Amino acid sequence: MSTLAPFDAVAIEYDDTFSYTAIGKLQRARVRHFLKTFLREKSEKILEVNCGTGEDALWLTQLGHTVIATDISAEMVEVTTQKIQKSGHHLQATGSTCDINAIDTLGLSGINLVFSNFGGLNCIAPAMLLRLNQNLQSIVVPNGLFIAVIMGRNCWWETFYFLMKGHWKKAFRRYQKTAISATLDAHTTVDTWYYNPKEFSQFFPSFQIVAIHPIGFWIPPSYLEPFFKRWPRLLKALAFLESYTHTSLLAASADHYMLVLRKSD
């Protein structure tokens, strides 16, 4: 198991800098809007990879599902575990520090849904994604789902914003085929790859595409939070437009997209 977990450095403040911000809440609400349509009413067994601080694990268990929440960052898993303990409810959720490459060591089976939110899998090298496909193939039930929220190549917001600031290199950074060094804080970076939906789905030949939805076509990227704090009505208007934005045609141009894959028989 790898001990290199850049997100350890930002685990404590992650909720304050993203989850609990206006933009973070709006983007997560869109994810949940689409995710709900693929959840059955009965309890499902869900594996969450790159669980972060456990916001989605808590939500899913409160809906009655059983969640195994994993992340390579021990600090992120610690925050998740604390939330589970402080929830005041008997939740069917467990946190585990686990590298993507070590999923097969958890002894899992009968998984109905694998879920990864907000670009966690963008921080995984392509070779590791192919390994993940192999691991998921053995633990996901027939017709089970793999739902990933991925940062795409062509975010129009990002291109527009950095062009307006005269930062040409940053404006087109997502178009690179190789990893870029993304900044987490003043002292920490993480290698990040960007994919359009077709490119990402090719890492998972054991699964077939069911749906693609935009996440953050109108709602801006989270690093624009300081600007939109001064213009809350504008952000509210953009959220209204986002609520009517479902088509896969816009997914590749959004900040993120939700890719829904179903395991082949």
Side-chain angles (χ1 to χ4, degrees), residues 23 75 105 109 117-118 130 161 171 180 189 196 202 217 257:
I23 290 176
E75 296 297 327
T105 68
S109 62
N117 207 356
F118 290 131
L130 289 170
Y161 172 70
I180 71 164
T189 61
N196 64 42
Q202 288 175 346
F217 181 82
Y257 57 84

Side-chain angles (χ1 to χ4, degrees), residues 3-263:
T3 59
L4 299 176
F7 284 90
D8 280 348
V10 297
I12 299 301
E13 65 265 24
Y14 182 81
D15 283 335
D16 290 333
T17 58
F18 178 70
S19 300
Y20 302 154
T21 65
I23 290 176
K25 289 178 181 178
L26 288 171
Q27 288 212 7
R28 197 179 297 275
R30 290 306 288 164
V31 171
R32 292 177 178 180
H33 169 78
F34 292 121
L35 184 56
K36 270 188 174 181
T37 65
F38 296 99
L39 293 172
R40 300 169 186 168
E41 292 185 3
K42 69 172 186 175
S43 176
E44 293 195 284
K45 191 174 181 181
I46 299 172
L47 168 64
E48 184 179 8
V49 295
N50 312 114
C51 70
T53 57
E55 287 292 298
D56 295 312
L58 284 175
W59 177 72
L60 288 165
T61 55
Q62 288 165 354
L63 292 178
H65 304 291
T66 300
V67 181
I68 304 96
T70 68
D71 201 292
I72 192 175
S73 167
E75 296 297 327
M76 288 287 195
V77 172
E78 177 61 23
V79 175
T80 297
T81 301
Q82 290 178 8
K83 287 183 180 179
I84 293 170
Q85 294 172 346
K86 293 178 180 178
S87 67
H89 302 282
H90 179 65
L91 300 178
Q92 298 299 313
T94 56
S96 177
T97 305
C98 183
D99 191 321
I100 286 289
N101 281 332
I103 290 293
D104 57 340
T105 68
L106 295 178
L108 300 176
S109 62
I111 298 295
N112 303 107
L113 167 65
V114 178
F115 177 60
S116 179
N117 207 356
F118 290 131
L121 295 178
N122 288 90
C123 305
I124 305 300
M128 293 175 68
L129 292 177
L130 289 170
R131 170 74 179 275
L132 179 61
N133 173 73
Q134 295 174 347
N135 288 337
L136 297 187
Q137 185 178 16
S138 64
I139 65 174
V140 175
V141 300
N143 295 314
L145 296 177
F146 172 33
I147 299 179
V149 179
I150 302 299
M151 294 182 287
R153 286 193 181 280
N154 309 310
C155 175
W156 78 266
W157 260 113
E158 183 161 300
T159 302
F160 173 75
Y161 172 70
F162 285 119
L163 283 178
M164 291 299 98
K165 293 179 70 69
H167 297 166
W168 292 81
K169 186 174 180 180
K170 286 185 177 180
F172 299 103
R173 62 183 177 179
R174 294 196 186 199
Y175 291 82
Q176 290 185 205
K177 294 289 187 179
T178 55
I180 71 164
S181 185
T183 300
L184 297 181
D185 64 18
H187 308 288
T188 312
T189 61
V190 61
D191 284 346
T192 305
W193 291 259
Y194 297 95
Y195 309 98
N196 64 42
K198 182 178 179 181
E199 288 172 332
F200 188 81
S201 67
Q202 288 175 346
F203 291 110
F204 298 91
S206 302
F207 296 79
Q208 297 177 338
I209 296 176
V210 174
I212 307 170
H213 295 296
I215 306 293
F217 181 82
W218 295 109
I219 299 170
S222 58
Y223 52 77
L224 294 180
E225 178 77 14
F227 172 83
F228 282 96
K229 274 188 175 181
R230 303 194 300 271
W231 299 92
R233 290 185 180 179
L234 175 57
L235 183 59
K236 185 176 181 180
L238 292 170
F240 175 79
L241 292 174
E242 186 85 21
S243 68
Y244 289 94
T245 305
H246 302 263
T247 176
S248 62
L249 296 176
L250 300 180
S253 299
D255 185 26
H256 296 78
Y257 57 84
M258 175 184 281
L259 182 63
V260 183
L261 302 172
R262 188 182 304 278
K263 184 182 176 183

